[in-house]
Amino acid sequence: MTPPRWNRLAMPNPTTTQLSLGPLLFNWPPERRVDFYRRIADEAPVDTVYVGEVVCAKRLPLAESTLAEVIDRLQRGGKTVVLSTLSLIMDERELNHLKALIDSSDLMIEANDVSAMHLLDGRPHIAGPFINIYNEGTLAFAGRQGAVRAVLTSEVNGHAIAAMARSNTGVTLEVQAFGRLPLALSSRCYHARHHGLHRDGCQFVCGNDPDGLTIETLDGQPFLALNGTQTLSHTVCSLLEQAGALQNMGVSHLRLWPHDVDMPAVATLFRTVLDGRTEPADAAEQLSSFVGFAAFANGFFFAREGHRFVHGPWAE
Amino acid sequence: MAITTPLELVCPAGTPAALRAAVEAGADVVYVGFRDETNARNFPGLNFSPTELAEGVAFAHRHGARIYVAINTYPTAGRPEAWHTAVARAEDAGADAVILADLGLLAHTAHRHPALRRHLSVQASASNPLSIRFYAEQFDVRRIVLPRVLTLEEIGRLTRQIPVETEVFAFGGLCVMAEGRCALSSYVTGQSPNLNGACSPAEFVRYDQEDGGTQVTRLAGFTLDRVPDGLPAGYPTLCKGRFQIAGRAAHVFEDPVSLDVTGMIPDLVAAGVKALKIEGRQRSRAYVTSVVAAFRAAVDAVARNQIVPPGTLATFTEGGRTTAGALSRRWK
């Protein structure tokens, strides 16, 4: 059956998928942040860089001490900078911080909680990965509120991405394509709990682990990674070999999460694959030389267990 | 002190028999789900057909009780019809409210079924006044089931700041993560609580006996605990498992405990909370009868300004141990 003319016109635009760098999820010291973003600004072929603390309100003062410098450096490097908001907002202080951030910034904002979506009502913004957007109905609703792009949740699969891409909501899609995946949030800090501390007196022990703290099963099998109040996958997601399929679906951005690895090189690999300049399998082999701390996974994309790595092409 | 209105008691039922048991034990409201992926307790042999729901509503209404229908998973992209149908069937059956989480489904329901009362599921994890006001303004949500991550103080402050009723989890399973924003079970089993409606599902659970008698509990191949012979091996709910960090074994997220806020009922009344929710649509009829009866006695005692009767619910908790969870700030 031939699709109606309007539908063909609204088919995904075959223009190139862009790369974005997600907000830093870890508690790195200020000097390391500045150095990291200086390299990103100068060397990484990413179009958009998200900055701002999304995990823990207690880290805000430290994270924000370098924010102006980082934003300035990225913008001078030609990057589009987006300001990301906290993912779990519980008390008045966190809410006031959110309001002040949204009021005072003329940057594009990534909303990571419905409260931020409320404050941004009618103003163009990005719906972040911590707002549950699983389907075209919610995507359309987010678009009516002013979302121009939605970053899909960690567990979204290829079928759902394709269905949302086809749905003509006018909201473009960003898919998490590299890094440990955010799996859970809590008001309790497990990093502090591990060190026998309470969150109120945490001594910022999460800062000891630049890529997260490994949790193993009692059999010594790698399992998950702690990052303060957040729980991440132990595996590192890589959709490098599915980047072409995502581009064909019309996904506008692939998100790379910052890690303590050579991120400009990681971004370059994704860019060359999207541009058809490197064979995906060759690129994947090169990628493994940059990531030494965990195995790769792509199971969520294939509607499987998130920790799996599935070989082979994507077919809807 | 004057007698106050008791907290509304919202009780679980996974079967028509449990529904009748809950009503007879004193439930003000019974909450149920359809027998499919549209609800967050999608376990084999559980839940209601449309006909059973209509019969359950009629039974409850005859006995002065109400029925809420949980349609609180997130519709699958490309086929939202099952969720839309569930909402229509809940309204047709005469349900008193639907409990929803997905923004798109809330928008659909507010638009197509404006007369059907809407509550916000705990799965939406709305934890601050701004988010809650958003759901109230956009979808005319009348009540919010609060996430289990809030302290008593936060609940009181929140309840004073919002134009909708609050419902608080009182007893049963304790999520330690922000509800509806947890993909741990999905990561391990490939089945998503948000999409398929079951956390740590039984079909992935294995209990093995090792040489020497040690019992090993596994979920989808990952070891969640080892216990010496003779000790009870609990159900391997992912976030209550024992793991190791740097060689040190511990319950990294939470001990295998259950939530029990019986001792805090007077505080919850003072905080302005409207309803208490008992977890456990997957639990037995005996559980429903005992827990509902105990909470009926407790909330009525508090309303009459009497002492809450001592706890009798230990046999229904994980490992016989309870916590007030995040209600107490020490928990964080």
Side-chain angles (χ1 to χ4, degrees):
Chain A
M1 199 177 81
T2 317
R5 202 177 104 78
W6 58 267
N7 198 10
R8 259 181 297 158
L9 286 176
M11 286 296 274
N13 185 343
T15 52
T16 315
T17 297
Q18 299 193 334
L19 292 178
S20 75
L21 186 73
L24 174 68
L25 297 175
F26 305 104
N27 185 15
W28 291 359
E31 322 76 66
R32 189 186 212 141
R33 286 169 194 262
V34 172
D35 288 348
F36 177 80
Y37 284 109
R38 186 180 298 134
R39 276 202 71 201
I40 295 296
D42 293 340
E43 300 170 38
V46 296
D47 303 275
T48 300
V49 180
Y50 295 75
V51 296
E53 176 60 38
V54 303
V55 174
C56 179
K58 289 195 67 185
R59 298 177 184 169
L60 284 166
L62 189 75
E64 292 183 346
S65 66
T66 56
L67 200 55
E69 184 182 355
V70 163
I71 291 170
D72 177 61
R73 192 69 191 77
L74 288 166
Q75 287 178 331
R76 281 193 287 120
K79 309 301 184 195
T80 301
V81 179
V82 177
L83 200 49
S84 298
T85 67
L86 279 174
S87 51
L88 188 61
I89 292 179
M90 314 259 304
D91 63 24
E92 204 75 14
R93 225 160 31 100
E94 291 162 5
L95 212 46
N96 288 337
H97 179 273
L98 178 73
K99 284 178 187 161
L101 183 139
I102 288 175
D103 284 346
S104 65
S105 179
D106 46 15
L107 293 172
M108 181 72 96
I109 306 278
E110 177 187 71
N112 279 316
D113 184 75
V114 167
S115 53
M117 200 181 221
H118 191 177
L119 291 169
L120 289 160
D121 193 351
R123 171 171 158 186
H125 63 272
I126 294 169
F130 302 99
I131 290 182
N132 278 337
I133 297 184
Y134 279 101
N135 54 62
E136 58 278 27
T138 300
L139 194 63
F141 175 80
R144 294 196 292 275
Q145 298 304 305
V148 295
R149 189 188 312 153
V151 188
L152 300 177
T153 61
S154 297
E155 62 169 344
V156 71
N157 65 52
H159 304 287
I161 298 168
M164 282 188 266
R166 276 196 301 267
S167 65
N168 300 326
T169 56
V171 184
T172 64
L173 301 181
E174 178 165 332
V175 171
Q176 303 176 50
F178 174 83
R180 284 188 156 160
L181 293 177
L183 296 179
L185 304 162
S186 180
S187 63
R188 174 182 259 186
C189 179
Y190 302 109
H191 232 115
R193 179 172 155 92
H194 168 65
H195 289 276
L197 300 167
H198 183 273
R199 188 177 176 191
D200 287 345
C202 70
Q203 300 174 26
F204 297 96
V205 286
C206 56
N208 300 340
D209 302 292
D211 288 303
L213 177 60
T214 293
I215 304 175
E216 295 177 331
T217 67
L218 296 178
D219 300 328
Q221 184 181 11
F223 187 44
L224 298 166
L226 289 183
N227 175 34
T229 54
Q230 183 182 53
T231 307
L232 299 163
S233 63
H234 185 272
T235 53
V236 173
C237 170
S238 170
L239 298 184
L240 188 55
E241 292 181 77
Q242 290 72 43
L246 288 160
Q247 182 160 251
N248 289 338
M249 288 177 195
V251 168
S252 73
H253 290 73
L254 297 188
R255 166 169 294 197
L256 317 176
W257 288 110
H259 274 285
D260 190 21
V261 301
D262 189 345
M263 287 305 294
V266 170
T268 302
L269 277 178
F270 273 84
R271 188 70 267 159
T272 57
V273 167
L274 284 169
D275 294 344
R277 290 183 279 130
T278 309
E279 279 299 312
D282 296 343
E285 205 175 306
Q286 290 179 53
L287 186 67
S288 55
S289 69
F290 297 123
V291 180
F293 57 87
F296 289 111
N298 59 13
F300 280 138
F301 181 78
F302 287 93
R304 295 282 309 275
E305 304 93 321
H307 65 87
R308 294 256 180 228
F309 189 87
V310 179
H311 290 280
W314 159 255
E316 217 196 331
Chain B
M1 236 170 83
I3 292 171
T4 56
T5 310
L7 290 171
E8 178 183 301
L9 208 49
V10 183
C11 306
T15 61
L19 182 151
R20 291 190 294 272
V23 170
E24 282 160 2
D28 296 303
V29 178
V30 183
Y31 69 102
V32 300
F34 285 113
R35 195 175 292 142
D36 60 24
E37 63 197 334
T38 63
N39 82 92
R41 287 291 181 279
N42 179 24
F43 295 134
L46 216 60
N47 296 318
F48 288 68
S49 70
T51 309
E52 288 167 344
L53 177 64
E55 289 165 3
V57 169
F59 179 85
H61 286 177
R62 274 201 307 280
H63 292 81
R66 279 161 288 149
I67 299 289
Y68 299 161
V69 181
I71 307 169
N72 56 349
T73 51
Y74 292 81
T76 299
R79 49 178 192 89
E81 299 79 14
W83 284 262
H84 295 172
T85 303
V87 172
R89 283 177 172 164
E91 184 166 50
D92 290 346
D96 298 282
V98 285
I99 309 168
L100 310 174
D102 180 61
L103 288 163
L105 190 60
L106 280 157
H108 168 90
T109 305
H111 181 61
R112 298 290 194 82
H113 307 274
L116 181 59
R117 184 179 159 104
R118 293 171 287 285
H119 292 183
L120 189 68
S121 169
V122 72
Q123 294 300 111
S125 186
S127 52
N128 61 68
L130 219 53
S131 294
I132 295 166
R133 278 201 291 267
F134 181 78
Y135 287 102
E137 287 168 18
Q138 293 286 333
F139 314 117
D140 195 20
V141 160
R142 310 296 288 279
R143 178 183 298 181
I144 158 137
V145 185
L146 290 177
R148 282 163 275 198
V149 295
L150 295 165
T151 63
L152 190 58
E153 196 189 333
E154 286 164 345
I155 290 172
R157 207 174 316 123
L158 193 57
T159 301
R160 286 192 295 277
Q161 291 175 335
I162 55 174
V164 296
E165 300 168 356
T166 51
E167 181 173 313
V168 170
F169 270 94
F171 189 82
L174 168 74
C175 272
V176 297
M177 305 300 183
E179 293 94 336
R181 297 161 97 179
C182 177
L184 292 181
S185 187
S186 184
Y187 180 72
V188 167
T189 70
Q191 294 289 301
S192 160
N194 277 4
L195 294 165
N196 311 110
C199 175
S200 309
E203 73 229 63
F204 295 95
V205 172
R206 271 186 58 192
Y207 298 91
D208 293 319
Q209 192 101 14
E210 287 185 338
D211 296 343
T214 302
Q215 282 205 77
V216 186
T217 52
R218 292 194 174 91
L219 185 71
F222 287 93
T223 297
L224 294 205
D225 207 354
R226 273 168 199 283
V227 293
D229 195 16
L231 289 178
Y235 187 88
T237 303
L238 216 157
C239 55
K240 316 294 188 325
R242 214 152 52 89
F243 307 110
Q244 54 181 352
I245 296 175
R248 186 151 59 84
H251 290 103
V252 169
F253 301 107
E254 177 59 293
D255 301 342
V257 292
S258 292
L259 183 69
D260 183 0
V261 306
T262 310
M264 288 184 166
I265 292 173
D267 306 294
L268 290 166
V269 172
V273 167
K274 171 78 179 177
L276 287 187
K277 177 165 227 153
I278 296 168
E279 187 272 346
R281 284 189 282 137
Q282 74 284 15
R283 303 294 294 265
S284 69
R285 200 174 123 188
Y287 166 94
V288 169
T289 298
S290 304
V291 177
V292 173
F295 270 90
R296 180 80 269 158
V299 297
D300 288 350
V302 170
R304 288 192 301 267
N305 210 22
Q306 295 168 348
I307 302 296
V308 176
T312 52
L313 297 171
T315 52
F316 295 100
T317 60
E318 287 182 65
R321 295 173 55 207
T322 62
T323 173
L327 286 183
S328 149
R329 186 161 180 90
R330 285 190 312 274
W331 183 84
K332 293 185 179 178

